[in-house]
């Protein structure tokens, strides 16, 4: 899963070496915050694919990474299996019209993009998420 770094000016999609190879990209993707139009979570990112991989890697229901070209523009896709994902619509970006990314930190990204005061230094989106309190299981006592 990709790493997302967010600061006051941009969102950066950091790709691992394997993700770089599968997506045929040499650099990370930087998106200025003002170009982000909408962010939404999805449980099935495969339904958001449009067009054909060019260049990219596509193994149905396993992995989809790279640039997807369609009549609507180019999308960057980094999907692994059926994990929760985010769809980020962009306006005015040099390369892409949309990003479809598998990440377990979708809720944290949504919260972070709505913050008014964001740190100047990039932070991992996972750090911005507040950990949920663990659920305590209480023993069930049957009435006598």
């Amino acid at each position: 899963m990709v790493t997302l770094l967010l600061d006051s000016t941009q969102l950066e999609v950091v790709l691992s070496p394997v993700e770089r190879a599968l997506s045929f990209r040499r650099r990370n993707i930087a998106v200025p915050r003002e170009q982000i139009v909408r962010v939404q979570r999805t449980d099935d990112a495969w339904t958001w694919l449009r067009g054909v991989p060019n260049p990219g890697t596509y193994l149905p229901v396993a992995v989809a990474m790279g640039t997807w070209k369609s009549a609507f523009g180019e999308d960057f896709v980094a999907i692994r299996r059926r994990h929760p994902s985010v769809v980020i619509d962009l306006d005015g970006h040099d390369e892409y019209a949309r990003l479809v990314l598998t990440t377990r930190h979708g809720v944290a990204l949504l919260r972070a993009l709505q913050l008014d005061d964001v740190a100047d230094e990039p932070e991992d989106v996972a750090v911005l998420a507040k950990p949920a309190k663990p659920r305590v299981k209480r023993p069930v006592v049957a009435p006598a």
Side-chain angles (χ1 to χ4, degrees):
M1 293 185 200
V2 297
T3 301
L4 302 174
L5 298 177
L6 180 68
D7 64 16
S8 61
T9 60
Q10 72 178 4
L11 170 69
E12 184 174 3
V13 180
V14 181
L15 303 172
S16 70
V18 171
E19 291 165 340
R20 288 176 194 262
L22 291 174
S23 65
F24 298 94
R25 281 196 62 89
R26 294 183 184 180
R27 296 178 283 119
N28 295 330
I29 300 168
V31 178
R33 284 179 68 120
E34 61 268 4
Q35 292 181 351
I36 298 174
V37 177
R38 182 176 58 189
V39 179
Q40 54 192 23
R41 293 178 49 228
T42 180
D43 289 330
D44 188 7
W46 295 96
T47 61
W48 290 90
L49 286 178
R50 60 184 183 184
V52 294
N54 187 14
T57 302
Y58 178 66
L59 299 169
V61 191
V63 67
M65 287 200 191
T67 301
W68 255 243
K69 292 189 178 186
S70 73
F72 302 103
E74 295 184 0
D75 299 343
F76 180 78
V77 175
I79 303 173
R80 290 190 181 173
R81 304 207 184 270
R82 295 214 181 265
H83 296 294
S85 303
V86 293
V87 179
I88 304 170
D89 291 320
L90 307 175
D91 183 32
H93 192 262
D94 295 339
E95 293 181 84
Y96 300 111
R98 184 166 68 179
L99 307 175
V100 183
L101 309 169
T102 298
T103 179
R104 68 188 104 192
H105 305 295
V107 173
L109 178 63
L110 290 171
R111 285 184 191 152
L113 285 172
Q114 294 175 359
L115 293 177
D116 292 331
D117 54 323
V118 179
D120 290 332
E121 292 296 316
E123 284 188 69
D124 190 342
V125 173
V127 175
L128 296 173
K130 295 179 182 175
K133 293 182 181 180
R135 197 172 203 184
V136 178
K137 290 188 176 182
R138 295 190 176 113
V140 177
V141 179

